[in-house]
Amino acid sequence: MKKRLFFGRVKSRKLSSSNILLTNNFLKKFIIKKNIFRKKKIVIEIGHGMGENLLNLADKNKEKIFIGIDPFQNGLANIAKEVFKKKIKNIYIFPYVLEKFFDKYNKIEFNEIYVLFPDPWPKKKHKKRRLVNENLLTNILSKLRKKGKFFFRTDNLEYYNNVIKIIKKLIREEKKYILKKYISKSLVQSKYHKKAHKFFNEIKSLELIKK
Ligand SMILES: C[S@@+](CC[C@H](N)C(=O)[O-])C[C@H]1O[C@@H](n2cnc3c(N)ncnc32)[C@H](O)[C@@H]1O
């Protein structure tokens, strides 16, 4: 049986026909071609949602290439709108799940990888649905270039502690990472960051650097 890879919603609100057209134009114009990986520093964000962080980073770091990986169509429409409005030229989107991206671009290494507020799946019976587990982390870290960085943020303490536990195990085994329990650059507040503030949830972050 085929393993189910996605448990979220690909759409939260109905998209207007003009939004669909804009999104399709964006996807056609900014299609990921293998040659984009050649020269520049490459940053990926997994599960970018509405794309606030991706848009802000791309706008501020024009010398880098940004790839967003998320099947969420409303987020994609928002990114398409902002990219055309602000004339951003360095964002590409892979509108499917991460697992497919890693299958397709299995030899590419990245300078920075962001996972911000992944779906927490707090119920015990749903924990297997979490995006960041030992397998995925091992895979993600193997795709970091030397001196590359992995950024993770969540307001689910149990999820955070579990990720820290996995990372510490990997550090013991491989000794090639430096762990900081904060993110050393300032990031804009995404939709789920604001939601965490609204509910007075503590936000936990980490940054992992490959030596
Ligand atoms: C809780 S939202 C967080 C969005 C955003 N990072 C933020 O901070 O507002 C989680 C996002 O992860 C995406 N997602 C879930 N599983 C995924 C997967 N396997 N590959 C890529 N994206 C995924 C969902 O579609 C959703 O947009």
Side-chain angles (χ1 to χ4, degrees), residues 1-210:
M1 203 172 44
K2 228 172 148 195
K3 193 181 159 217
R4 190 171 158 194
L5 297 173
F6 185 67
F7 297 92
R9 285 187 299 171
V10 289
K11 219 187 280 176
S12 60
R13 263 181 292 127
K14 196 171 181 290
L15 288 165
S16 66
S17 48
S18 60
N19 262 337
I20 294 174
L21 193 68
L22 192 76
T23 308
N24 288 342
N25 279 343
F26 167 62
L27 286 177
K28 263 189 233 146
K29 199 161 177 210
F30 291 93
I31 194 153
I32 302 178
K33 296 198 193 90
K34 290 235 162 112
N35 65 1
I36 69 161
F37 296 118
R38 255 185 238 144
K39 33 189 184 191
K40 302 202 174 179
K41 288 195 169 165
I42 306 164
V43 180
I44 62 175
E45 181 166 354
I46 304 159
H48 50 68
M50 296 304 280
E52 300 91 343
N53 180 56
L54 197 67
L55 286 159
N56 178 59
L57 288 176
D59 202 25
K60 286 195 178 133
N61 299 279
K62 301 217 163 46
E63 74 291 357
K64 297 179 185 171
I65 290 285
F66 290 81
I67 301 173
I69 303 156
D70 195 327
F72 184 53
Q73 292 171 10
N74 300 74
L76 188 49
N78 186 50
I79 293 172
K81 189 178 84 202
E82 293 297 314
V83 158
F84 288 125
K85 192 164 96 192
K86 296 189 175 144
K87 298 189 170 49
I88 296 172
K89 295 196 168 66
N90 52 341
I91 288 189
Y92 296 81
I93 293 291
F94 186 80
Y96 309 101
V97 290
L98 168 73
E99 294 79 353
K100 281 196 180 171
F101 179 82
F102 279 169
D103 279 352
K104 185 155 185 196
Y105 301 104
N106 56 0
K107 299 226 163 65
I108 314 289
E109 291 184 332
F110 306 97
N111 296 81
E112 292 172 21
I113 301 179
Y114 289 81
V115 180
L116 305 176
F117 299 93
D119 295 302
W121 297 114
K123 286 187 187 157
K124 206 173 165 189
K125 64 175 180 186
H126 289 152
K127 286 210 176 113
K128 281 199 197 114
R129 296 180 177 186
R130 283 182 177 170
L131 180 69
V132 187
N133 52 35
E134 186 163 354
N135 261 345
L136 186 102
L137 254 180
T138 312
N139 204 358
I140 284 183
L141 299 181
S142 72
K143 293 179 188 300
L144 269 184
R145 290 182 181 164
K146 232 175 164 189
K147 297 202 166 49
K149 292 179 181 177
F150 169 66
F151 303 92
F152 178 80
R153 183 166 271 173
T154 180
D155 60 340
N156 183 299
L157 188 62
E158 196 266 330
Y159 199 165
Y160 180 78
N161 286 340
N162 195 250
V163 171
I164 289 278
K165 197 168 134 195
I166 300 168
I167 287 178
K168 285 191 170 161
K169 181 172 171 249
L170 294 174
I171 292 179
R172 275 197 306 276
E173 285 165 7
E174 298 196 36
K175 297 190 175 51
K176 57 180 178 196
Y177 302 102
I178 299 166
L179 171 65
K180 293 180 184 170
K181 291 186 179 171
Y182 57 89
I183 291 180
S184 61
K185 54 168 100 182
S186 95
L187 303 177
V188 284
Q189 290 190 7
S190 62
K191 179 176 167 188
Y192 280 83
H193 192 130
K194 287 184 185 143
K195 233 179 185 177
H197 276 318
K198 190 172 157 201
F199 293 107
F200 301 103
N201 292 347
E202 189 185 357
I203 293 172
K204 305 288 277 180
S205 306
L206 69 85
E207 180 174 321
L208 194 67
I209 305 152
K210 195 170 201 171

